[in-house]
Amino acid sequence: MDRKYLAYIALVLSIIYGGLFAVIGEDARTGYAAIGGIVVGIAWVSVGVLGKDERPDA
């Protein structure tokens, strides 16, 4: 998959993850931080592992 699309998806997930900390209550933040951190981490690792440049010389 094209790297810029994967990076965009990972960026959107990161922004949503960070923004939802304002909405999540104090009691649920520990679980939210753990699960959300894993999801965001997997998203950024997939950019590096699965992302392919559109052209090799670009």
Side-chain angles (χ1 to χ4, degrees):
M1 187 171 204
D2 190 14
R3 186 179 310 269
K4 69 178 162 182
Y5 295 125
L6 284 174
Y8 179 75
I9 292 168
L11 179 63
V12 169
L13 283 174
S14 299
I15 291 170
I16 290 171
Y17 169 66
L20 283 176
F21 266 104
V23 179
I24 300 297
E26 290 288 329
D27 299 337
R29 284 195 179 169
T30 304
Y32 175 75
I35 294 170
I38 291 169
V39 170
V40 169
I42 290 171
W44 283 109
V45 168
S46 70
V47 171
V49 173
L50 301 176
K52 297 188 182 350
D53 290 330
E54 204 170 286
R55 295 184 330 220
D57 60 344

